[in-house]
Amino acid sequence: SWILPRGPSLPEQEKAKEELEKAKAELERILRQLREEEVERMLALLEGRFRKMLEMQLRIYENTMRLDKSNDELRRQKESGELAIDERKLVIDADKALNLLLEEGSSIAFPETVSQMRDDMQQVSDRLDSAKVGMITQGIEEDIIASLEEMIEALQKAQQDLEEQQQQ
């Protein structure tokens, strides 16, 4: 007579399979939560970075307008050069934000917007280096300010959407 090796019974196999499915579902839930938390941190980090950039850009813009009204050519040259240095710091910050966005990789429009803004900042820096503080420079600065405000708004909305999604 044949002796069959005794393995786990069918009900035991079913139970093990159910437990495996539960463990898999729990792992997927944890991974989803970790991804959401990572996205949440990234959005908050970018918002903070763009807020600091906006503060600095507003200060540069106010000083550019003030210098434009000045008749002291020597002072205009000196202070405009200092503003150019500050603007170059913003270019570096924009590069860092761009790298973060490209690493994160979830939004196509955002990196493009940041890239355009970064180019505008470089242009402003070059113009300020040449003590060009008139309407053209101010206009580009206004565009940068508008871009930063739009991005901050978009980041706030994305954070809000994520929060609502988590609550559901």
Side-chain angles (χ1 to χ4, degrees):
S1 78
W2 290 88
I3 301 175
L4 293 171
R6 237 187 123 189
S9 68
L10 203 55
E12 286 173 344
Q13 285 178 335
E14 284 301 313
K15 187 178 182 215
K17 192 176 171 187
E18 273 179 41
E19 286 176 8
L20 193 61
E21 287 300 317
K22 279 182 190 172
K24 185 179 165 195
E26 178 64 10
L27 269 175
E28 285 171 354
R29 187 192 65 75
I30 291 169
L31 281 172
R32 194 170 44 251
Q33 187 178 353
L34 285 173
R35 275 193 296 271
E36 285 172 356
E37 287 171 5
E38 182 59 33
V39 168
E40 218 173 320
R41 272 195 299 277
M42 175 70 72
L43 292 172
L45 178 76
L46 285 168
E47 183 190 346
R49 181 166 293 208
F50 288 138
R51 281 188 182 285
K52 281 184 191 166
M53 291 169 70
L54 178 59
E55 281 175 34
M56 195 168 176
Q57 188 65 63
L58 285 167
R59 193 176 48 73
I60 292 169
Y61 175 63
E62 288 164 9
N63 284 316
T64 302
M65 288 193 306
R66 184 182 47 75
L67 280 180
D68 189 28
K69 294 178 181 121
S70 168
N71 293 324
D72 185 345
E73 197 55 44
L74 214 58
R75 182 172 149 222
R76 187 187 294 192
Q77 287 283 336
K78 179 185 175 292
E79 288 185 28
S80 185
E82 291 168 2
L83 291 177
I85 291 168
D86 287 343
E87 192 72 36
R88 273 193 288 280
K89 290 177 187 170
L90 282 176
V91 170
I92 292 167
D93 286 344
D95 281 334
K96 289 177 184 173
L98 193 55
N99 285 335
L100 273 176
L101 285 165
L102 293 172
E103 279 175 27
E104 197 259 336
S106 71
S107 168
I108 306 251
F110 243 65
E112 209 170 285
T113 306
V114 175
S115 182
Q116 177 59 54
M117 182 184 69
R118 183 222 172 272
D119 293 346
D120 288 348
M121 289 171 168
Q122 187 60 58
Q123 193 179 358
V124 167
S125 175
D126 294 344
R127 292 184 66 80
L128 289 172
D129 253 342
S130 304
K132 294 178 182 169
V133 293
M135 294 300 287
I136 294 172
T137 302
Q138 291 171 37
I140 300 168
E141 289 174 337
E142 288 165 4
D143 290 345
I144 295 166
I145 290 165
S147 292
L148 284 164
E149 287 171 342
E150 286 169 18
M151 284 187 284
I152 290 167
E153 208 173 290
L155 286 164
Q156 288 173 330
K157 185 176 178 348
Q159 290 175 79
Q160 210 171 3
D161 292 349
L162 189 65
E163 214 172 283
E164 289 168 10
Q165 188 182 323
Q166 287 170 343
Q167 287 170 355
Q168 286 174 356

